[in-house]
Amino acid sequence: MKFYKKHSLFNDFQHIIDLIFPQYCSVCTQRLSGTEKHICTSCLYTLPTVKNTSFTDNLFVRTFWGLLPIERGTALFFYQKNSDYRNILFDLKYHKCPEIGVFMGRIMANRLLPLGFFDGIDIIVPVPLARQRQKERGYNQSEEIAKGISEISHLPIESKAIVRIVHNTTQTRLQRIERQTNVEGIFKLNTPERLQGKHILLLDDVMTTGATLLACGKAIASLPGTSISILTLAWTKT
């Protein structure tokens, strides 16, 4: 009886909070119900999910063929310039909403774990931000996604082993060749002993040309006995 009363009081309190501070879907901007977080059930259902029959041979992985040996790779959803789903990335990167990264990380892990995507992987390495950019943003969006994945997969996160030593210009408006040039030599191994001999899941928020992931992956691949898989929240097919 006491538990019922406490539960009822909590629900009443939560209802009042929802009335005073309503939450809205990042995608469609409709008001969320009390049981929804960040994205409404309808938008989650229609998420433009990347569907692969193989994690080792697909269009995502083929981006790196001949450039970087990777074990497997995929993304959660397709990023399209005029789609409302881009708001997920905008909220995560520019609207001070790191918690949506954790939320989306959980969704990714829950979808990929039963498919064996994480089998054999030892550690998650989020692509690092330059110190100045992380200071401005207050967090690394890729690390927030990694936190959600780690909660479900129980894989540890290593965010200190590789650092970004150059605060390069944004990649957003650059063409493919310019992107590759823009990220050359910007990553440095900081504590390589933490990665050596491990199967590493390299994680980023979005892949367009793959230039940033390639540059980061090359730094890791220089370590003997190291293997790499790649996962991103979103993927822009070019």
Side-chain angles (χ1 to χ4, degrees):
M1 189 67 174
K2 288 182 179 180
F3 173 79
Y4 175 79
K5 287 181 178 179
K6 288 181 180 180
H7 185 68
S8 179
L9 287 171
F10 175 81
N11 287 342
D12 290 342
F13 179 73
Q14 187 63 49
H15 181 66
I16 293 170
I17 294 295
D18 291 339
L19 287 174
I20 299 174
F21 304 106
Q23 303 294 310
Y24 298 92
C25 175
S26 288
V27 178
C28 68
T29 70
Q30 295 298 308
R31 186 168 177 169
L32 297 174
S33 71
T35 59
E36 294 174 329
K37 297 292 183 183
H38 305 297
I39 303 173
C40 70
T41 303
S42 177
C43 287
L44 281 176
Y45 182 77
T46 57
L47 186 74
T49 309
V50 176
K51 295 179 175 65
N52 295 309
T53 56
S54 169
F55 292 128
T56 58
D57 182 3
N58 55 55
L59 291 177
F60 184 97
V61 170
R62 291 177 194 175
T63 303
F64 302 95
W65 278 7
L67 301 171
L68 180 71
I70 67 172
E71 299 293 319
R72 66 190 76 131
T74 192
L76 177 63
F77 70 93
F78 290 110
Y79 175 93
Q80 295 176 315
K81 187 175 181 181
N82 297 318
S83 169
D84 288 338
Y85 284 96
R86 63 182 178 172
N87 295 334
I88 296 173
L89 292 171
F90 287 176
D91 283 350
L92 174 59
K93 295 177 71 169
Y94 308 119
H95 297 162
K96 302 293 184 182
C97 191
E99 58 272 17
I100 198 171
V102 180
F103 175 77
M104 295 305 296
R106 293 192 200 106
I107 289 176
M108 275 204 290
N110 278 319
R111 294 195 180 191
L112 294 174
L113 189 64
L115 302 177
F117 182 84
F118 301 108
D119 292 354
I121 291 174
D122 298 305
I123 197 166
I124 305 172
V125 175
V127 171
L129 288 178
R131 184 178 298 178
Q132 180 60 33
R133 187 164 291 167
Q134 182 157 344
K135 184 178 180 181
E136 292 168 357
R137 188 166 293 166
Y139 55 90
N140 176 358
Q141 70 274 7
S142 295
E143 190 170 352
E144 298 304 313
I145 299 168
K147 290 175 184 177
I149 294 173
S150 180
E151 285 183 20
I152 305 301
S153 68
H154 305 296
L155 291 172
I157 301 170
E158 177 51 68
S159 57
K160 305 295 184 183
I162 185 167
V163 294
R164 198 165 188 149
I165 57 175
V166 177
H167 186 178
N168 59 322
T169 57
T170 179
Q171 298 275 81
T172 306
R173 300 183 185 277
L174 300 182
Q175 300 302 314
R176 178 180 291 271
I177 299 300
E178 292 174 321
R179 284 172 181 255
Q180 292 176 355
T181 304
N182 192 45
V183 295
E184 287 180 359
I186 69 172
F187 296 105
K188 176 186 176 183
L189 292 171
N190 185 39
T191 51
E193 67 277 3
R194 297 185 181 183
L195 304 182
Q196 190 167 329
K198 302 287 182 65
H199 183 171
I200 293 158
L201 179 61
L202 187 57
L203 179 73
D204 208 359
D205 58 335
V206 60
M207 182 178 85
T208 303
T209 65
T212 301
L213 286 160
L214 179 60
C216 193
K218 282 183 175 179
I220 295 171
S222 66
L223 294 171
T226 302
S227 55
I228 301 170
S229 290
I230 294 178
L231 178 62
T232 65
L233 176 60
W235 174 26
T236 305
K237 291 176 68 175
T238 55

